[in-house]
Amino acid sequence: MLAVRTRFAPSPTGYLHLGGARTALFNYLFARHHGGVFILRVEDTDRERSTDAAMGEILESLQWLELRWDEGPFYQSQRGALYRAHAERLLAAGAAYRCYCSAAALEQQRQAAQAERRKPMYDRRCRTLAAPPAAGTPFTIRFKTPLDGETVVADAIRGHVVFQNAEMDDLIIVRSDGSPTYNFCVVVDDADMGITHNIRGEDHLPNTPKQVLIYQALSYPPPIFAHVPLVLGVDRARLSKRHGATSVLSYRDAGYLPQALNNYLARLGWSHGDQEIFSHAELIAAFSLEALGSSAGVFNPEKLEWVNAQHIKRTPRAELAQLVKPFIAGRGWPLPDDARWLERVVATLQEKAKTLVELVDLAAYYFTDAIAIEPAAARKHLSPANPDALRDLRAALAALPSWTTASIQAAFEQVLERYQLALGQIAQPVRVALTGGTVSPGIFEVADVIGRERVLARLDRALPLVGEGYGVKGLRG
């Protein structure tokens, strides 16, 4: 087999959505699996809709997903001379012709076809025209589609797909302003760049027979095509904004890991036994076209969240601590100087958080002392608590010679034994005092990370609420 060369060819008319990201991922994984080359090509011939801002977001998305391209980006808008040369080749070979029909005339043909309930197609009146109607008349260049026979697309996923040539139009390959069209540029670019495998969405399948015919007319071998099913929403409709965030960068900003999003997207249409969680290296090692299915992948936000949680659990703590920093800064909280302390923070929540945003939200009581005690939590756990036991615990914590998880636990156990209390009878009031709520990691670990002085200060603020008859006033630090 020839050295594998794949490509991802986005149009810079908007953000990179999940379907496009999956296409890029499949091309990247296939190239990496075979030790080949992954190329980035920008299809920006639609100058009215293409923007630099969209291109910048696409590049940023691919970089965040760690889909590193080996060649490019190449821009179609800078390759005009190559397209003109190939158009002239087709004209000289009699495989294309100049069409002088005006836009108004073509519109009349379209309306007539609709009125007669025929498929709108060009009537080919210029196909055998010997000379232009008048010097200087604007023209397009059309490809001469065979009038009969069939074109077979050999697809790595769908097998042989047959198209009747009589059903295809003489497509325009060069517009009247001299700009080339999509189907023509794709063939020229893929041939020029030596693309061996074209992995793309199944919505491109109707274009493929037209492209195969152009390959044949130019005497270029077509690549191996693999048209992957589309990504659908849970309602089985094509994935769109109404199904939630679809921009790749919106998932980054929501606290998803790139490895998790790649893992999830790869499993939408591809499988490797029963394995669900893959590292970047495992995806590369396992990926193959043979394992791509022909059924549409259904995007499930809850499953993506679960996959992300698994990757968070597997992320080394030092790395995770670095990943949460932008989200901490986004809350307006100062970034800690002690890197080890931040690692201890994430270690207490790593098993619980489904996203980086959730991890930082859960960690609020570590970063700020301005915590609000939930009134319901105070009524249930602070008001009926034993004030003497909590005061003794405060004194025992203040007197500890060292502040560690083990020494904090020993102080708790000392007070529990003295008052014959169960752990929950003192741990829950302390949890409410330290975090403002009733749910947190282990109370000994939380107290250790918060630190002695801050723990004592929070207990002092909560003690007035302890014991029958104090009530709850919504204490805020």
Side-chain angles (χ1 to χ4, degrees), residues 26 266-272 278 282-283 286-289 291-293:
F26 285 167
R267 292 285 286 111
L268 284 180
W270 172 82
S271 62
H272 185 66
F278 294 81
E282 286 174 330
L283 284 176
F287 188 79
S288 69
L289 293 182
L292 284 173

Side-chain angles (χ1 to χ4, degrees), residues 36-53:
V37 175
F38 175 56
I39 298 168
L40 178 60
R41 185 174 74 228
V42 182
E43 297 184 341
D44 61 342
T45 54
D46 187 347
R47 299 310 298 161
E48 290 185 3
R49 298 177 58 226
S50 297
T51 67
D52 292 339

